[in-house]
Amino acid sequence: MKKILYLSLLLGAMVSFSSCSNEEDDLFSASAAERLNEMKELYSARLWASPNGWVMQYYPTYENEAPYGNGYLMLCDFNKDYSVRVAIYDRIEDAKGNVSYNYREDTSAWEILTDNGPVLSFNSYNNVMHTFSDPEDIPSTSTSEQGKGYEGDYEFVIVNAPEDASFMMLKGKKRGTYSLLTPMEEGVEYVSYLDDVRRFQDYMFAANSPTFNVMHFGDNIYKMEDANDGIPNIYPYDGDAVLEESFNPFLITKRGDSYYLRFRDERKVNDNETVQDFRYDTERDIFVSVDNEAYYIDGDSPVRFFEEMMNSSSLRRFDFKQTSTMSSDFKTIIDAIRQEMRAKKVTLRDFSLMRDGDNFTLRVHYNQSGDANAYYIFTRSVEGNNVTFNYVGPKDTPATNLIANVSPSIQNLIDKLTGTYTVSAANTKFNLNVLKFTSTSNADSFINMDFYGNVGEGGEEA
């Protein structure tokens, strides 16, 4: 029995040793260089998987002031010869605030390194990518302080790269900011893509429209102000913009026919949920959370915006002309005014709803041996989305004489405006530079008016 037991233990030990030996052979069968090459090929293949490259949402730092806190949209096309084409749109603002854009691209080298995990390295100088990590002065396209560069990264730890190549999440090796890569659609030109996204963002978050957006996160409602530079201030709707300020940069991208807004940082909604990514719903004119449709970003209220502008200490106005979009009944009246003025050798310029001193008025702007204005006083009241206009009378004798001696049809326009109108966005509530006024008594009767801010006395541009 002892011999049998001894032989059994000996055989078991031999089998165990053989098994361990095989495992070690499997474990160390590939050299370090081979394992490195396998990892390089694996992650390189995932980058190659997008035939038209990737859209990169890049943030140099976690700061909240331009240009360090801004997000930058770059397009990266990784090739099998380990060259990469990187493209960007530079936003250039001159001393007068005029903005223009310049397309820029460059080709350089890239590779996958291993440094406690796979690292994507743009390992030769790229005039686009390395702009953000070069310690030299910030280019003249920026008005920011000199000498620090953008303080960004050119090497990124690959945090997540699923096999289906649906996205790739990168983390800056130095700054730790996250950059999301999503596949670029085939057949889309880089210049066209960047121009499309830029136009959408500039239109939806217009710099020359003093509106804010509204974030609805369940019972929590926030204002989202100054979004035109991509670094909005987000604070409770009835809160203080300074004491409760919270900045969160965002970028706009496009996939198919849909536009997406993604914040740099997740925002906590409740103890269990955060929001970060939103898709623009064209039909509802809102940005909806991709994770929970109960959370969304809305534009400003058109009637609230109209009232704020009319009550502003700065003079503001809403213009309409012969060329403005309007229903046929409005057009008939305005054409008649133009023809009557022309017969008296007077040129009609435009009409405006605006304040004149303490009065809310209809201004008629015309030229008769020089620019001139006539003012007709109204009162107004608001209920819900509706505003009611009631005519009081002409401001002075010249306004009375203009109707009596030049254009009697001005009275028809006054009568037409007197009544209740629903105020809505002509295009989108995110950009209220054009408001639509629709008669509540006739849904086919409407007129669009263009917002014109910061005007001087007499309604002229300051």
Side-chain angles (χ1 to χ4, degrees):
M1 288 293 296
K2 287 182 179 180
K3 287 182 179 181
I4 293 172
L5 178 60
Y6 175 77
L7 287 171
S8 297
L9 291 172
L10 181 61
L11 289 170
M14 291 173 65
V15 169
S16 175
F17 177 78
S18 175
S19 174
C20 290
S21 177
N22 288 336
E23 287 179 5
E24 289 183 4
D25 288 343
D26 292 339
L27 183 63
F28 295 103
S29 61
S31 68
E34 289 172 330
R35 291 196 301 275
L36 175 61
N37 285 333
E38 288 176 1
M39 179 172 289
K40 181 175 181 176
E41 290 176 4
L42 173 65
Y43 287 97
S44 296
R46 292 182 185 176
L47 286 170
W48 295 331
S50 181
N52 199 28
W54 300 77
V55 179
M56 183 179 190
Q57 299 179 52
Y58 176 87
Y59 292 93
T61 72
Y62 277 113
E63 294 187 29
N64 293 320
E65 293 185 6
Y68 314 105
N70 280 112
Y72 297 87
L73 202 62
M74 287 187 279
L75 306 181
C76 305
D77 189 10
F78 298 93
N79 301 305
K80 292 186 178 181
D81 63 358
Y82 289 97
S83 67
V84 58
R85 178 169 65 111
V86 186
I88 197 171
Y89 241 19
D90 292 316
R91 184 180 187 274
I92 305 170
E93 183 173 349
D94 64 21
K96 295 182 178 180
N98 299 315
V99 175
S100 61
Y101 293 87
N102 176 58
Y103 176 81
R104 182 164 54 100
E105 71 170 50
D106 195 18
T107 300
S108 60
W110 69 281
E111 67 174 320
I112 299 295
L113 307 174
T114 54
D115 183 9
N116 295 323
V119 173
L120 169 61
S121 174
F122 293 81
N123 60 342
S124 72
Y125 188 82
N126 185 292
N127 190 43
V128 177
M129 175 59 68
H130 286 82
T131 296
F132 299 97
S133 57
D134 195 327
E136 296 297 324
D137 290 353
I138 292 173
S140 59
T141 55
S142 171
T143 58
S144 301
E145 63 182 280
Q146 301 287 301
K148 296 173 65 177
Y150 290 89
E151 303 183 43
D153 281 287
Y154 65 91
E155 290 189 329
F156 306 87
V157 178
I158 300 176
V159 178
N160 192 1
E163 292 183 16
D164 63 1
S166 57
F167 72 91
M168 186 175 285
M169 183 64 73
L170 309 178
K171 184 178 181 180
K173 192 175 177 182
K174 181 179 180 182
R175 294 297 175 186
T177 54
Y178 287 91
S179 296
L180 177 65
L181 296 181
T182 51
M184 179 74 167
E185 287 185 83
E186 290 188 64
V188 178
E189 294 291 334
Y190 278 18
V191 175
S192 299
Y193 178 89
L194 290 171
D195 192 54
D196 187 352
V197 171
R198 186 266 303 176
R199 288 179 186 276
F200 177 81
Q201 181 163 341
D202 283 355
Y203 181 75
M204 297 296 283
F205 304 101
N208 60 343
S209 182
T211 59
F212 57 80
N213 310 123
V214 185
M215 308 179 79
H216 297 263
F217 298 157
D219 295 331
N220 299 315
I221 301 177
Y222 300 88
K223 281 185 179 179
M224 177 172 151
E225 283 190 339
D226 301 323
N228 62 283
D229 67 351
I231 311 179
N233 182 15
I234 300 170
Y235 60 94
Y237 190 89
D238 294 321
D240 188 283
V242 176
L243 295 178
E244 299 178 87
E245 68 180 19
S246 173
F247 296 96
N248 197 350
F250 69 85
L251 281 169
I252 299 290
T253 58
K254 186 180 183 184
R255 281 169 268 165
D257 294 328
S258 296
Y259 294 93
Y260 291 82
L261 182 156
R262 185 175 192 271
F263 289 104
R264 181 187 67 189
D265 309 316
E266 292 182 327
R267 187 170 188 91
K268 193 172 183 179
V269 175
N270 52 48
D271 292 339
N272 303 313
E273 288 183 282
T274 59
V275 292
Q276 187 172 18
D277 295 271
F278 296 80
R279 181 185 62 83
Y280 180 62
D281 186 321
T282 305
E283 186 174 336
R284 293 189 287 171
D285 191 25
I286 58 175
F287 286 91
V288 183
S289 169
V290 299
D291 297 315
N292 187 336
E293 289 200 353
Y295 306 136
Y296 62 96
I297 304 171
D298 200 356
D300 197 357
S301 162
V303 71
R304 189 216 63 80
F305 174 67
F306 176 70
E307 280 298 291
E308 180 179 315
M309 294 304 100
M310 291 298 96
N311 292 324
S312 173
S313 57
S314 300
L315 295 181
R316 310 292 177 88
R317 71 178 195 236
F318 288 84
D319 293 344
F320 56 101
K321 315 173 177 65
Q322 300 101 300
T323 56
S324 296
T325 302
M326 65 185 74
S327 54
S328 59
D329 51 355
F330 269 103
K331 188 176 187 308
T332 298
I333 295 172
I334 290 175
D335 284 346
I337 295 172
R338 177 176 54 80
Q339 292 168 9
E340 290 168 353
M341 286 189 169
R342 181 181 294 172
K344 298 290 185 176
K345 300 188 183 307
V346 177
T347 302
L348 175 64
R349 298 297 191 196
D350 53 51
F351 306 89
S352 304
L353 294 183
M354 61 174 291
R355 278 197 308 109
D356 177 60
D358 294 331
N359 297 316
F360 171 69
T361 66
L362 165 67
R363 182 194 73 154
V364 181
H365 181 205
Y366 59 98
N367 186 287
Q368 185 177 28
S369 302
D371 275 352
N373 297 300
Y375 298 91
Y376 303 91
I377 301 171
F378 283 77
T379 62
R380 69 186 190 279
S381 58
V382 173
E383 183 175 351
N385 293 323
N386 298 332
V387 57
T388 299
F389 302 123
N390 288 305
Y391 183 53
V392 175
K395 175 186 176 183
D396 49 27
T397 300
T400 300
N401 290 339
L402 186 67
I403 294 178
N405 302 320
V406 178
S407 178
S409 292
I410 292 175
Q411 184 62 53
N412 294 337
L413 179 60
I414 290 170
D415 295 341
K416 183 68 180 170
L417 284 172
T418 301
T420 302
Y421 287 82
T422 298
V423 186
S424 61
N427 300 300
T428 171
K429 287 188 290 182
F430 288 89
N431 184 339
L432 296 179
N433 280 333
V434 184
L435 294 182
K436 182 177 183 180
F437 293 78
T438 305
S439 172
T440 57
S441 61
N442 180 4
D444 294 325
S445 180
F446 71 90
I447 188 166
N448 288 359
M449 301 189 192
D450 298 335
F451 171 68
Y452 198 101
N454 300 322
V455 298
E457 293 300 326
E460 305 311 316
E461 182 177 3

